Amino acid sequence: MPEKIRKSEEDWRAELTPEEFHVLREKGTEPAFTGIYWDAKDEGVYRCRACGQELFSSETKYDSGTGWPSFWAPLSDDAVETAPDHSHFMRRTEVLCSRCGSHLGHVFEDGPQPTGLRYCINSISLRLDKDEA
């Protein structure tokens, strides 16, 4: 299990852009089809924008048609955590970075095999390292 990073919201606000802070720390969502990775085809490792932890591999990325980067599995079992999300009058499962607790997006049970899962992640929550493919 990764070592937890604990910072005040003031520290996060100082390190992140206002848009990054809104999504990562205030559980916001970027508009569909606007993020830099929604249709990216580059190979590499997607890391948490806030803390740099490895989260997803380009090998599990696929085009879900939703306008957000989608993956059928995280890079490892302990890379992300999930939590119930009942906001906006919906029942969803939130995806969080297991290291810093930042909001990444949501996971749904309508993805491709072999997992049947769709990790629908905000581009602004990610940083792609192309040299780690």
Side-chain angles (χ1 to χ4, degrees):
M1 191 65 149
E3 184 176 330
K4 299 284 186 184
I5 292 177
R6 305 216 189 275
K7 295 182 184 181
S8 70
E9 291 307 299
E10 293 78 26
D11 289 340
W12 285 121
R13 191 178 298 276
E15 293 178 21
L16 301 169
T17 68
E19 295 82 11
E20 291 168 348
F21 184 84
H22 174 64
V23 173
L24 289 159
R25 306 308 303 173
E26 297 177 323
K27 303 180 187 291
T29 301
E30 66 192 2
F33 303 102
T34 63
I36 62 173
Y37 299 126
W38 76 270
D39 65 346
K41 307 287 190 273
D42 300 309
E43 293 182 5
V45 173
Y46 289 87
R47 295 177 170 272
C48 176
R49 171 92 52 185
C51 74
Q53 174 169 259
E54 294 181 343
L55 300 172
F56 298 96
S57 168
S58 60
E59 294 176 7
T60 63
K61 187 174 187 292
Y62 72 101
D63 182 1
S64 66
T66 62
W68 289 281
S70 297
F71 305 86
W72 50 264
L75 197 58
S76 67
D77 290 340
D78 62 355
V80 299
E81 295 176 345
T82 60
D85 178 359
H86 301 294
S87 63
H88 307 290
F89 305 105
M90 292 184 272
R91 295 169 63 108
R92 301 181 292 177
T93 302
E94 180 183 14
V95 179
L96 304 154
C97 173
S98 65
R99 186 171 178 217
C100 70
S102 288
H103 172 76
L104 303 172
H106 292 87
V107 62
F108 302 94
E109 295 180 351
D110 60 0
Q113 294 305 317
T115 65
L117 299 175
R118 172 173 53 99
Y119 287 83
C120 191
I121 307 298
N122 291 287
S123 286
I124 202 166
S125 297
L126 302 171
R127 183 186 81 232
L128 176 61
D129 282 345
K130 295 179 187 177
D131 57 341
E132 294 186 32

